[in-house]
Each structure stands twice: as C-alpha cells, then as structure tokens.
Amino acid sequence: MATGSAANLLSVDSLFTTQAERDEAKRETVMDIPLAEISDFPNHPFKVRMDETMMEMADSVKQHGVLVPGLVRPKPDGGYEMVAGHRRKKASELAGKETVPCIVRELTDDEATIIMVDSNLQREQILPSEKAFAYKMKLDAMRRQQGSRTDLTSVPLGQKFGQTSREVLADQSPDSNTQIQRYIRLTSLIPDLLELVDNSVLKEKGQRQMALRPAVELSYLRKEEQESLSELIEVEDCTPSHAQAIKMRTFSEAGKLNEDVILSIMQEEKGNQIEQVKIPRERISKYFAPGTPAQTIEDTIIKALELYRRRQREQAR
C-alpha cells in the first residue's frame, strides 16, 4: 500500500469547493466600516496633527471620499483596530462621514506593528519623536519574530550572513543604521526635552528648539538630571549645544552632575551666541573693488577702525 504525506491529502474544503471559490474566499475586499467600530493602534507613535494639511485632507474627503482604503485588523472582542490610515480616519470624522473604506486583514501583533511603521515612514514630514518610537517598535517586533523562528529558510537572507535586526531595519528604511540608533536613543528623553527636538522640525515661531545630536547625548542623563536641565532651559532661555551636552553626559557618568554644574555649563558662551555686527554690503561696496573677498573687506575695516581709535587717542592728549 502506497503511503503519502499529509500535505498531499485533499482537505474536506477542497473536495466540495472549486479553486475559483477558494481563491475568492482568500481575496481581500474593501469594506465601509463605521468609524465608531475602529480603535487606534495601541501606542501609535505617529501624531495626527490638526494642521493645514489635515484640513485640506478633510476637504478632499468631503468632496471625493477616501480614495485609498485604510487597513484594519479584527479585534478578538469585536470591532477593528486601525493599522494604517489614522489620518484618513480623522479626516473622515472632520468631513462628517460615518464610515471609512478599509481592507480587513488578520495580522499578529508584530505583523501589524511592522506594517503600521512602514506605512507611516512614507509621509513627507515626520517628527524625531515619531521616528524614535516607531523605529523602536518595529525593531522590537523584528527581534521577536526572529527569536520565534527555528528554521533557516524563514530567516531574511541578510541575517543568514550575520546581519543584525537593526541593519535589516536600516535596509528597509530611509535612515542609516547609525541614524536609527540615534533616533531610538530619543525614547529615553523626558517629554519636555523631546518636544524641543520636535520643534527643530516644526520650526514654530517663538518655540525653543534643540538639534538631534545634543539630544542624543542628553538621553544618557538620568531622569532627575533631565528634569533639572529642562527647568534651567526655561530660566536661561537657551538650549545646550552639542559640546555642552557631551560635557553634561561626562559629568553624569562620573556621578558629578547636579543643578549647579548644569547651570555652569549652560552659562558658558556658545559660538552661535556671540553677538555679531552685520553691515549691508551695499553700504561699503564703494570702498572696495568688485570681487574683493569678504575676509579682505573685514581685515581692512578692522585696520581702519584701529587707525581711527589711535587718532582719537592722540587728539585726546
């Protein structure tokens, strides 16, 4: 009697349905789902901002509807969880819609996390805080998936040759491995400092800003040290430079960083805080030949001022 593997046996489903019917059952369809039945993705790192772009999207939805369906997954206790399409959902609410078109797909937590991050990384403007938590969420999901695999055939090709999960993430992302590492460090910042980093992208008038590199150094400070720094930023009305942030980290690692040390470092003069006098070129152009280098102009002005001061002193004698 010939024997066959279980994989070769016909299932009950295949006995009573055609291949076309089975293909149709597997095919994903778009459904209009009530907005009230869709909850946000847990700890969704991408902010849905009520900005001009959102207002434009709401107007477009009001006139034309949602042209690209969102992606949801069914929840065990009923309803759906948004995976990709939070902004489309909000725009639909603002447009007065009761439903939003979505594709329904069964996804594990890690699968849903990876799709959620990838779909949002394509946006034009992404805040540093959004990248920070998104990259961390995706990297954690990739590592969990990698840890659950037991066969080499299911491992991504790059990782078969010793590639780390973060290197694979970098291959799939617009940022380099090193830059991703910097962004993930930002998740260790307190919210007040992280907001300053976001402001460097938003560039809202009157808001303090802090660049990425100093923020990464400050992420190594203990929480209470960051809180002290945040308070002094308010008092001094300035943010630390990269060099100052490195100095704070060095003191922190030596266990010597306190409020007085932070204040002392913050009060050091930074290169970009040195007051500069600017003279419109058209006011001095008649004194110099066309094409005279700026450095030559500056040196000549300094020499002229020195001569002027010397003559004034001679007249005062």
Side-chain angles (χ1 to χ4, degrees):
M1 178 179 174
T3 59
S5 67
N8 293 326
L9 294 177
L10 291 174
S11 66
V12 173
D13 179 67
S14 65
L15 289 173
F16 295 100
T17 60
T18 65
Q19 184 61 47
E21 290 172 331
R22 292 193 294 274
D23 290 342
E24 180 63 28
K26 292 179 181 178
R27 186 176 296 122
E28 294 177 333
T29 57
V30 177
M31 299 172 53
D32 286 326
I33 300 177
L35 296 171
E37 294 183 14
I38 305 174
S39 61
D40 291 341
F41 195 90
N43 301 314
H44 190 249
F46 296 95
K47 300 177 178 67
V48 178
R49 294 187 293 278
M50 299 298 294
D51 52 16
E52 184 179 347
T53 304
M54 174 56 71
M55 296 300 102
E56 291 174 355
M57 182 182 288
D59 287 340
S60 175
V61 170
K62 186 178 295 185
Q63 295 180 41
H64 311 292
V66 174
L67 302 180
V68 179
L71 177 65
V72 298
R73 64 172 183 162
K75 297 167 63 176
D77 55 350
Y80 301 89
E81 182 179 278
M82 184 65 77
V83 176
H86 289 77
R87 287 170 55 79
R88 279 162 278 176
K89 176 174 177 280
K90 185 63 178 179
S92 297
E93 293 174 357
L94 295 173
K97 304 290 185 179
E98 296 184 356
T99 64
V100 61
C102 292
I103 294 171
V104 180
R105 185 181 301 172
E106 292 283 352
L107 296 166
T108 66
D109 290 346
D110 290 336
E111 288 171 343
T113 295
I114 291 172
I115 292 174
M116 179 273 296
V117 171
D118 287 346
S119 63
N120 281 279
L121 284 177
Q122 310 305 317
R123 284 161 45 182
E124 289 185 9
Q125 186 186 71
I126 306 176
L127 300 182
S129 65
E130 294 174 328
K131 281 192 174 185
F133 288 99
Y135 279 141
K136 187 176 188 302
M137 290 176 70
K138 182 175 178 180
L139 186 60
D140 289 344
M142 291 172 64
R143 285 171 173 167
R144 283 191 297 267
Q145 285 187 331
Q146 183 62 27
S148 66
R149 289 166 174 154
T150 57
D151 65 309
L152 262 182
T153 59
S154 61
V155 179
L157 183 59
Q159 289 183 281
K160 293 180 184 179
F161 297 97
Q163 196 175 28
T164 66
S165 295
R166 197 172 66 223
E167 289 170 337
V168 175
L169 174 56
D171 288 343
Q172 302 170 355
S173 308
D175 294 298
S176 67
N177 185 359
T178 302
Q179 192 73 344
I180 287 173
Q181 187 176 15
R182 291 191 184 114
Y183 278 120
I184 292 177
R185 278 301 318 170
L186 298 183
T187 61
S188 296
L189 284 177
I190 63 173
D192 286 346
L193 295 183
L194 189 55
E195 183 179 351
L196 297 176
V197 190
D198 282 346
N199 288 342
S200 68
V201 173
L202 294 172
K203 299 187 183 303
E204 295 178 352
K205 188 176 181 180
Q207 297 296 319
R208 297 184 192 88
Q209 303 173 15
M210 183 161 57
L212 177 64
R213 297 296 290 276
V216 169
E217 298 296 333
L218 297 175
S219 71
Y220 290 94
L221 304 188
R222 293 190 295 274
K223 181 180 178 182
E224 57 270 22
E225 295 170 339
Q226 292 187 36
E227 290 172 344
S228 296
L229 172 60
S230 179
E231 292 174 4
L232 286 172
I233 286 175
E234 290 286 335
V235 174
E236 296 296 309
D237 194 24
C238 66
T239 56
S241 66
H242 189 207
Q244 289 173 327
I246 291 174
K247 190 175 291 188
M248 290 182 197
R249 178 182 173 183
T250 301
F251 275 95
S252 176
E253 290 174 345
K256 298 179 180 179
L257 188 65
N258 55 42
E259 191 170 322
D260 291 335
V261 174
I262 295 174
L263 179 60
S264 176
I265 295 173
M266 289 287 288
Q267 290 179 337
E268 294 175 353
E269 189 173 55
K270 294 182 285 191
N272 60 1
Q273 289 180 322
I274 299 174
E275 187 175 358
Q276 298 184 10
V277 177
K278 295 184 178 180
I279 304 175
R281 197 177 183 96
E282 59 268 18
R283 294 193 62 186
I284 58 175
S285 60
K286 64 181 179 180
Y287 302 107
F288 299 93
T292 302
Q295 188 61 51
T296 301
I297 293 175
E298 181 180 331
D299 293 341
T300 303
I301 291 174
I302 294 299
K303 289 178 182 178
L305 289 172
E306 288 174 349
L307 178 61
Y308 173 75
R309 184 173 63 176
R310 191 181 309 126
R311 287 181 176 177
Q312 281 200 323
R313 286 176 178 173
E314 290 174 353
Q315 292 174 358
R317 289 174 183 171

mmCIF file of all heavy atoms in Angstrom, residues 131-174:
data_model
loop_
_atom_site.group_PDB
_atom_site.id
_atom_site.type_symbol
_atom_site.label_atom_id
_atom_site.label_comp_id
_atom_site.label_asym_id
_atom_site.label_seq_id
_atom_site.Cartn_x
_atom_site.Cartn_y
_atom_site.Cartn_z
ATOM 1 N N LYS A 131 9.701 59.122 14.711
ATOM 2 C CA LYS A 131 10.673 58.147 14.226
ATOM 3 C C LYS A 131 11.255 57.344 15.384
ATOM 4 O O LYS A 131 11.475 56.137 15.266
ATOM 5 C CB LYS A 131 11.798 58.851 13.467
ATOM 6 C CG LYS A 131 11.448 59.250 12.047
ATOM 7 C CD LYS A 131 12.692 59.656 11.281
ATOM 8 C CE LYS A 131 12.389 59.921 9.815
ATOM 9 N NZ LYS A 131 13.604 60.206 9.031
ATOM 10 N N ALA A 132 11.516 58.014 16.489
ATOM 11 C CA ALA A 132 12.146 57.353 17.636
ATOM 12 C C ALA A 132 11.321 56.158 18.105
ATOM 13 O O ALA A 132 11.821 55.032 18.200
ATOM 14 C CB ALA A 132 12.320 58.363 18.775
ATOM 15 N N PHE A 133 10.055 56.401 18.407
ATOM 16 C CA PHE A 133 9.219 55.321 18.945
ATOM 17 C C PHE A 133 8.810 54.333 17.855
ATOM 18 O O PHE A 133 8.641 53.143 18.134
ATOM 19 C CB PHE A 133 7.985 55.914 19.644
ATOM 20 C CG PHE A 133 8.319 56.575 20.952
ATOM 21 C CD1 PHE A 133 8.474 57.942 21.034
ATOM 22 C CD2 PHE A 133 8.512 55.812 22.096
ATOM 23 C CE1 PHE A 133 8.808 58.558 22.244
ATOM 24 C CE2 PHE A 133 8.837 56.409 23.307
ATOM 25 C CZ PHE A 133 8.992 57.783 23.382
ATOM 26 N N ALA A 134 8.654 54.813 16.625
ATOM 27 C CA ALA A 134 8.295 53.901 15.524
ATOM 28 C C ALA A 134 9.421 52.916 15.254
ATOM 29 O O ALA A 134 9.190 51.705 15.115
ATOM 30 C CB ALA A 134 7.972 54.704 14.270
ATOM 31 N N TYR A 135 10.650 53.416 15.152
ATOM 32 C CA TYR A 135 11.792 52.533 14.908
ATOM 33 C C TYR A 135 11.956 51.536 16.055
ATOM 34 O O TYR A 135 12.260 50.363 15.827
ATOM 35 C CB TYR A 135 13.075 53.342 14.736
ATOM 36 C CG TYR A 135 13.255 53.929 13.352
ATOM 37 C CD1 TYR A 135 13.783 55.207 13.173
ATOM 38 C CD2 TYR A 135 12.931 53.196 12.208
ATOM 39 C CE1 TYR A 135 13.969 55.742 11.899
ATOM 40 C CE2 TYR A 135 13.111 53.720 10.942
ATOM 41 C CZ TYR A 135 13.626 54.995 10.790
ATOM 42 O OH TYR A 135 13.813 55.507 9.528
ATOM 43 N N LYS A 136 11.765 52.004 17.276
ATOM 44 C CA LYS A 136 11.905 51.094 18.424
ATOM 45 C C LYS A 136 10.838 49.998 18.383
ATOM 46 O O LYS A 136 11.125 48.812 18.613
ATOM 47 C CB LYS A 136 11.807 51.866 19.740
ATOM 48 C CG LYS A 136 12.119 51.018 20.986
ATOM 49 C CD LYS A 136 12.090 51.853 22.237
ATOM 50 C CE LYS A 136 12.586 51.030 23.419
ATOM 51 N NZ LYS A 136 11.815 49.794 23.650
ATOM 52 N N MET A 137 9.602 50.376 18.073
ATOM 53 C CA MET A 137 8.517 49.400 17.996
ATOM 54 C C MET A 137 8.783 48.368 16.907
ATOM 55 O O MET A 137 8.606 47.157 17.109
ATOM 56 C CB MET A 137 7.178 50.105 17.747
ATOM 57 C CG MET A 137 6.657 50.909 18.930
ATOM 58 S SD MET A 137 5.128 51.819 18.544
ATOM 59 C CE MET A 137 3.956 50.463 18.412
ATOM 60 N N LYS A 138 9.219 48.842 15.733
ATOM 61 C CA LYS A 138 9.462 47.907 14.632
ATOM 62 C C LYS A 138 10.649 47.002 14.938
ATOM 63 O O LYS A 138 10.606 45.793 14.669
ATOM 64 C CB LYS A 138 9.702 48.667 13.326
ATOM 65 C CG LYS A 138 9.910 47.718 12.130
ATOM 66 C CD LYS A 138 10.039 48.446 10.813
ATOM 67 C CE LYS A 138 10.297 47.448 9.673
ATOM 68 N NZ LYS A 138 10.426 48.095 8.353
ATOM 69 N N LEU A 139 11.715 47.575 15.494
ATOM 70 C CA LEU A 139 12.898 46.776 15.806
ATOM 71 C C LEU A 139 12.565 45.697 16.833
ATOM 72 O O LEU A 139 12.996 44.544 16.697
ATOM 73 C CB LEU A 139 14.013 47.681 16.330
ATOM 74 C CG LEU A 139 15.363 47.012 16.575
ATOM 75 C CD1 LEU A 139 15.904 46.404 15.285
ATOM 76 C CD2 LEU A 139 16.359 48.023 17.143
ATOM 77 N N ASP A 140 11.786 46.040 17.856
ATOM 78 C CA ASP A 140 11.378 45.053 18.860
ATOM 79 C C ASP A 140 10.549 43.939 18.212
ATOM 80 O O ASP A 140 10.717 42.761 18.538
ATOM 81 C CB ASP A 140 10.572 45.726 19.975
ATOM 82 C CG ASP A 140 11.443 46.604 20.869
ATOM 83 O OD1 ASP A 140 12.684 46.452 20.827
ATOM 84 O OD2 ASP A 140 10.883 47.440 21.606
ATOM 85 N N ALA A 141 9.648 44.331 17.287
ATOM 86 C CA ALA A 141 8.807 43.338 16.613
ATOM 87 C C ALA A 141 9.656 42.417 15.747
ATOM 88 O O ALA A 141 9.449 41.191 15.718
ATOM 89 C CB ALA A 141 7.747 44.041 15.763
ATOM 90 N N MET A 142 10.639 42.976 15.043
ATOM 91 C CA MET A 142 11.519 42.166 14.191
ATOM 92 C C MET A 142 12.330 41.183 15.029
ATOM 93 O O MET A 142 12.516 40.025 14.638
ATOM 94 C CB MET A 142 12.451 43.081 13.396
ATOM 95 C CG MET A 142 11.760 43.905 12.323
ATOM 96 S SD MET A 142 12.855 45.141 11.549
ATOM 97 C CE MET A 142 14.058 44.056 10.766
ATOM 98 N N ARG A 143 12.795 41.647 16.174
ATOM 99 C CA ARG A 143 13.582 40.762 17.041
ATOM 100 C C ARG A 143 12.734 39.639 17.621
ATOM 101 O O ARG A 143 13.207 38.509 17.754
ATOM 102 C CB ARG A 143 14.219 41.590 18.164
ATOM 103 C CG ARG A 143 15.405 42.424 17.685
ATOM 104 C CD ARG A 143 15.887 43.393 18.741
ATOM 105 N NE ARG A 143 17.120 44.063 18.316
ATOM 106 C CZ ARG A 143 17.630 45.136 18.918
ATOM 107 N NH1 ARG A 143 16.992 45.669 19.960
ATOM 108 N NH2 ARG A 143 18.747 45.679 18.467
ATOM 109 N N ARG A 144 11.477 39.956 17.949
ATOM 110 C CA ARG A 144 10.591 38.893 18.455
ATOM 111 C C ARG A 144 10.313 37.861 17.365
ATOM 112 O O ARG A 144 10.299 36.659 17.625
ATOM 113 C CB ARG A 144 9.282 39.500 18.970
ATOM 114 C CG ARG A 144 9.387 40.167 20.326
ATOM 115 C CD ARG A 144 8.014 40.490 20.890
ATOM 116 N NE ARG A 144 7.288 41.445 20.057
ATOM 117 C CZ ARG A 144 7.313 42.757 20.241
ATOM 118 N NH1 ARG A 144 8.044 43.279 21.211
ATOM 119 N NH2 ARG A 144 6.611 43.562 19.450
ATOM 120 N N GLN A 145 10.080 38.355 16.143
ATOM 121 C CA GLN A 145 9.851 37.439 15.033
ATOM 122 C C GLN A 145 11.081 36.581 14.780
ATOM 123 O O GLN A 145 10.974 35.375 14.564
ATOM 124 C CB GLN A 145 9.498 38.220 13.763
ATOM 125 C CG GLN A 145 8.091 38.793 13.736
ATOM 126 C CD GLN A 145 7.739 39.391 12.398
ATOM 127 O OE1 GLN A 145 8.602 39.863 11.664
ATOM 128 N NE2 GLN A 145 6.465 39.394 12.051
ATOM 129 N N GLN A 146 12.247 37.196 14.827
ATOM 130 C CA GLN A 146 13.482 36.455 14.603
ATOM 131 C C GLN A 146 13.696 35.408 15.684
ATOM 132 O O GLN A 146 14.117 34.279 15.418
ATOM 133 C CB GLN A 146 14.671 37.420 14.573
ATOM 134 C CG GLN A 146 16.015 36.766 14.279
ATOM 135 C CD GLN A 146 16.055 36.114 12.914
ATOM 136 O OE1 GLN A 146 15.332 36.547 12.021
ATOM 137 N NE2 GLN A 146 16.842 35.087 12.750
ATOM 138 N N GLY A 147 13.374 35.754 16.923
ATOM 139 C CA GLY A 147 13.563 34.824 18.030
ATOM 140 C C GLY A 147 12.623 33.642 17.982
ATOM 141 O O GLY A 147 12.927 32.576 18.526
ATOM 142 N N SER A 148 11.473 33.806 17.324
ATOM 143 C CA SER A 148 10.499 32.716 17.269
ATOM 144 C C SER A 148 10.746 31.753 16.122
ATOM 145 O O SER A 148 10.106 30.706 16.022
ATOM 146 C CB SER A 148 9.083 33.296 17.134
ATOM 147 O OG SER A 148 8.931 33.950 15.886
ATOM 148 N N ARG A 149 11.712 32.070 15.212
ATOM 149 C CA ARG A 149 11.975 31.212 14.064
ATOM 150 C C ARG A 149 12.950 30.106 14.448
ATOM 151 O O ARG A 149 13.917 30.330 15.158
ATOM 152 C CB ARG A 149 12.545 32.033 12.911
ATOM 153 C CG ARG A 149 11.509 32.969 12.271
ATOM 154 C CD ARG A 149 12.179 33.981 11.379
ATOM 155 N NE ARG A 149 11.174 34.780 10.665
ATOM 156 C CZ ARG A 149 11.391 35.998 10.217
ATOM 157 N NH1 ARG A 149 12.551 36.562 10.381
ATOM 158 N NH2 ARG A 149 10.437 36.658 9.587
ATOM 159 N N THR A 150 12.702 28.951 13.921
ATOM 160 C CA THR A 150 13.569 27.808 14.213
ATOM 161 C C THR A 150 14.213 27.229 12.971
ATOM 162 O O THR A 150 15.114 26.406 13.067
ATOM 163 C CB THR A 150 12.751 26.692 14.900
ATOM 164 O OG1 THR A 150 11.650 26.320 14.051
ATOM 165 C CG2 THR A 150 12.226 27.158 16.245
ATOM 166 N N ASP A 151 13.774 27.666 11.784
ATOM 167 C CA ASP A 151 14.343 27.134 10.546
ATOM 168 C C ASP A 151 15.042 28.238 9.769
ATOM 169 O O ASP A 151 14.573 29.349 9.708
ATOM 170 C CB ASP A 151 13.250 26.489 9.668
ATOM 171 C CG ASP A 151 12.245 27.513 9.178
ATOM 172 O OD1 ASP A 151 11.738 28.253 10.040
ATOM 173 O OD2 ASP A 151 11.982 27.561 7.971
ATOM 174 N N LEU A 152 16.174 27.925 9.187
ATOM 175 C CA LEU A 152 16.963 28.908 8.460
ATOM 176 C C LEU A 152 16.239 29.452 7.240
ATOM 177 O O LEU A 152 16.447 30.579 6.834
ATOM 178 C CB LEU A 152 18.297 28.293 8.009
ATOM 179 C CG LEU A 152 19.517 28.586 8.887
ATOM 180 C CD1 LEU A 152 20.740 27.938 8.272
ATOM 181 C CD2 LEU A 152 19.741 30.076 9.057
ATOM 182 N N THR A 153 15.361 28.654 6.669
ATOM 183 C CA THR A 153 14.711 29.064 5.425
ATOM 184 C C THR A 153 13.775 30.237 5.633
ATOM 185 O O THR A 153 13.435 30.931 4.688
ATOM 186 C CB THR A 153 13.899 27.893 4.825
ATOM 187 O OG1 THR A 153 12.921 27.471 5.777
ATOM 188 C CG2 THR A 153 14.818 26.735 4.481
ATOM 189 N N SER A 154 13.357 30.497 6.874
ATOM 190 C CA SER A 154 12.447 31.610 7.123
ATOM 191 C C SER A 154 13.176 32.864 7.575
ATOM 192 O O SER A 154 12.568 33.879 7.829
ATOM 193 C CB SER A 154 11.417 31.226 8.197
ATOM 194 O OG SER A 154 12.079 30.922 9.414
ATOM 195 N N VAL A 155 14.491 32.812 7.675
ATOM 196 C CA VAL A 155 15.274 33.964 8.103
ATOM 197 C C VAL A 155 15.594 34.837 6.897
ATOM 198 O O VAL A 155 15.967 34.320 5.852
ATOM 199 C CB VAL A 155 16.591 33.498 8.771
ATOM 200 C CG1 VAL A 155 17.415 34.701 9.201
ATOM 201 C CG2 VAL A 155 16.277 32.604 9.963
ATOM 202 N N PRO A 156 15.475 36.170 7.013
ATOM 203 C CA PRO A 156 15.841 37.035 5.894
ATOM 204 C C PRO A 156 17.264 36.766 5.447
ATOM 205 O O PRO A 156 18.140 36.520 6.268
ATOM 206 C CB PRO A 156 15.700 38.446 6.489
ATOM 207 C CG PRO A 156 14.717 38.289 7.604
ATOM 208 C CD PRO A 156 14.954 36.913 8.156
ATOM 209 N N LEU A 157 17.493 36.842 4.138
ATOM 210 C CA LEU A 157 18.776 36.476 3.572
ATOM 211 C C LEU A 157 19.941 37.196 4.227
ATOM 212 O O LEU A 157 20.965 36.608 4.534
ATOM 213 C CB LEU A 157 18.778 36.771 2.060
ATOM 214 C CG LEU A 157 20.045 36.371 1.293
ATOM 215 C CD1 LEU A 157 20.292 34.880 1.431
ATOM 216 C CD2 LEU A 157 19.931 36.773 -0.167
ATOM 217 N N GLY A 158 19.779 38.520 4.484
ATOM 218 C CA GLY A 158 20.869 39.285 5.076
ATOM 219 C C GLY A 158 21.280 38.754 6.421
ATOM 220 O O GLY A 158 22.460 38.712 6.756
ATOM 221 N N GLN A 159 20.314 38.288 7.214
ATOM 222 C CA GLN A 159 20.619 37.818 8.551
ATOM 223 C C GLN A 159 21.285 36.448 8.544
ATOM 224 O O GLN A 159 21.885 36.052 9.525
ATOM 225 C CB GLN A 159 19.350 37.793 9.398
ATOM 226 C CG GLN A 159 18.878 39.210 9.751
ATOM 227 C CD GLN A 159 17.668 39.191 10.648
ATOM 228 O OE1 GLN A 159 16.555 38.987 10.179
ATOM 229 N NE2 GLN A 159 17.874 39.411 11.917
ATOM 230 N N LYS A 160 21.188 35.731 7.461
ATOM 231 C CA LYS A 160 21.886 34.449 7.389
ATOM 232 C C LYS A 160 23.393 34.664 7.415
ATOM 233 O O LYS A 160 24.142 33.800 7.800
ATOM 234 C CB LYS A 160 21.501 33.714 6.099
ATOM 235 C CG LYS A 160 20.046 33.256 6.049
ATOM 236 C CD LYS A 160 19.778 32.539 4.734
ATOM 237 C CE LYS A 160 18.305 32.163 4.618
ATOM 238 N NZ LYS A 160 18.012 31.494 3.344
ATOM 239 N N PHE A 161 23.810 35.867 7.001
ATOM 240 C CA PHE A 161 25.235 36.167 6.943
ATOM 241 C C PHE A 161 25.643 37.101 8.076
ATOM 242 O O PHE A 161 26.551 37.906 7.942
ATOM 243 C CB PHE A 161 25.578 36.780 5.588
ATOM 244 C CG PHE A 161 25.326 35.830 4.444
ATOM 245 C CD1 PHE A 161 24.153 35.899 3.715
ATOM 246 C CD2 PHE A 161 26.249 34.846 4.116
ATOM 247 C CE1 PHE A 161 23.908 35.020 2.671
ATOM 248 C CE2 PHE A 161 26.007 33.969 3.065
ATOM 249 C CZ PHE A 161 24.832 34.044 2.343
ATOM 250 N N GLY A 162 24.949 37.044 9.183
ATOM 251 C CA GLY A 162 25.331 37.784 10.368
ATOM 252 C C GLY A 162 24.803 39.199 10.455
ATOM 253 O O GLY A 162 25.251 39.981 11.283
ATOM 254 N N GLN A 163 23.841 39.565 9.621
ATOM 255 C CA GLN A 163 23.292 40.907 9.666
ATOM 256 C C GLN A 163 22.353 41.038 10.859
ATOM 257 O O GLN A 163 21.522 40.174 11.118
ATOM 258 C CB GLN A 163 22.535 41.205 8.365
ATOM 259 C CG GLN A 163 22.255 42.678 8.140
ATOM 260 C CD GLN A 163 21.606 42.915 6.791
ATOM 261 O OE1 GLN A 163 20.928 42.036 6.273
ATOM 262 N NE2 GLN A 163 21.795 44.090 6.220
ATOM 263 N N THR A 164 22.506 42.120 11.623
ATOM 264 C CA THR A 164 21.666 42.324 12.789
ATOM 265 C C THR A 164 20.286 42.826 12.380
ATOM 266 O O THR A 164 20.089 43.303 11.255
ATOM 267 C CB THR A 164 22.300 43.352 13.741
ATOM 268 O OG1 THR A 164 22.319 44.634 13.092
ATOM 269 C CG2 THR A 164 23.719 42.949 14.133
ATOM 270 N N SER A 165 19.332 42.745 13.319
ATOM 271 C CA SER A 165 17.979 43.212 13.040
ATOM 272 C C SER A 165 17.984 44.697 12.712
ATOM 273 O O SER A 165 17.228 45.156 11.847
ATOM 274 C CB SER A 165 17.073 42.949 14.245
ATOM 275 O OG SER A 165 16.921 41.566 14.464
ATOM 276 N N ARG A 166 18.841 45.470 13.402
ATOM 277 C CA ARG A 166 18.877 46.900 13.133
ATOM 278 C C ARG A 166 19.448 47.189 11.744
ATOM 279 O O ARG A 166 19.037 48.139 11.082
ATOM 280 C CB ARG A 166 19.688 47.631 14.199
ATOM 281 C CG ARG A 166 19.408 49.145 14.207
ATOM 282 C CD ARG A 166 20.049 49.855 15.374
ATOM 283 N NE ARG A 166 21.482 49.814 15.286
ATOM 284 C CZ ARG A 166 22.278 49.570 16.320
ATOM 285 N NH1 ARG A 166 21.755 49.319 17.500
ATOM 286 N NH2 ARG A 166 23.585 49.567 16.180
ATOM 287 N N GLU A 167 20.390 46.389 11.290
ATOM 288 C CA GLU A 167 20.935 46.552 9.941
ATOM 289 C C GLU A 167 19.872 46.224 8.895
ATOM 290 O O GLU A 167 19.785 46.887 7.853
ATOM 291 C CB GLU A 167 22.175 45.679 9.766
ATOM 292 C CG GLU A 167 23.388 46.182 10.543
ATOM 293 C CD GLU A 167 24.531 45.185 10.563
ATOM 294 O OE1 GLU A 167 24.272 43.967 10.381
ATOM 295 O OE2 GLU A 167 25.671 45.605 10.778
ATOM 296 N N VAL A 168 19.074 45.196 9.163
ATOM 297 C CA VAL A 168 17.968 44.864 8.253
ATOM 298 C C VAL A 168 16.956 46.008 8.247
ATOM 299 O O VAL A 168 16.455 46.408 7.195
ATOM 300 C CB VAL A 168 17.292 43.547 8.680
ATOM 301 C CG1 VAL A 168 16.060 43.275 7.813
ATOM 302 C CG2 VAL A 168 18.261 42.383 8.578
ATOM 303 N N LEU A 169 16.676 46.556 9.424
ATOM 304 C CA LEU A 169 15.754 47.685 9.525
ATOM 305 C C LEU A 169 16.260 48.873 8.716
ATOM 306 O O LEU A 169 15.493 49.534 8.009
ATOM 307 C CB LEU A 169 15.575 48.082 10.994
ATOM 308 C CG LEU A 169 14.753 49.343 11.296
ATOM 309 C CD1 LEU A 169 13.367 49.243 10.694
ATOM 310 C CD2 LEU A 169 14.681 49.580 12.794
ATOM 311 N N ALA A 170 17.567 49.127 8.784
ATOM 312 C CA ALA A 170 18.152 50.241 8.030
ATOM 313 C C ALA A 170 18.004 50.021 6.528
ATOM 314 O O ALA A 170 17.753 50.969 5.773
ATOM 315 C CB ALA A 170 19.619 50.404 8.403
ATOM 316 N N ASP A 171 18.144 48.771 6.086
ATOM 317 C CA ASP A 171 17.987 48.459 4.661
ATOM 318 C C ASP A 171 16.568 48.765 4.181
ATOM 319 O O ASP A 171 16.348 49.065 3.009
ATOM 320 C CB ASP A 171 18.311 46.985 4.399
ATOM 321 C CG ASP A 171 19.805 46.686 4.524
ATOM 322 O OD1 ASP A 171 20.606 47.636 4.495
ATOM 323 O OD2 ASP A 171 20.155 45.491 4.670
ATOM 324 N N GLN A 172 15.604 48.683 5.097
ATOM 325 C CA GLN A 172 14.199 48.871 4.735
ATOM 326 C C GLN A 172 13.710 50.292 5.009
ATOM 327 O O GLN A 172 12.538 50.590 4.801
ATOM 328 C CB GLN A 172 13.326 47.887 5.538
ATOM 329 C CG GLN A 172 13.690 46.429 5.328
ATOM 330 C CD GLN A 172 12.973 45.508 6.301
ATOM 331 O OE1 GLN A 172 12.264 45.962 7.212
ATOM 332 N NE2 GLN A 172 13.130 44.196 6.120
ATOM 333 N N SER A 173 14.595 51.168 5.503
ATOM 334 C CA SER A 173 14.189 52.483 5.977
ATOM 335 C C SER A 173 14.964 53.601 5.274
ATOM 336 O O SER A 173 16.010 53.356 4.687
ATOM 337 C CB SER A 173 14.417 52.578 7.494
ATOM 338 O OG SER A 173 13.803 51.494 8.159
ATOM 339 N N PRO A 174 14.458 54.834 5.365
ATOM 340 C CA PRO A 174 15.151 55.966 4.739
ATOM 341 C C PRO A 174 16.369 56.442 5.518
ATOM 342 O O PRO A 174 17.116 57.290 5.033
ATOM 343 C CB PRO A 174 14.070 57.054 4.703
ATOM 344 C CG PRO A 174 13.146 56.712 5.814
ATOM 345 C CD PRO A 174 13.144 55.211 5.890
#
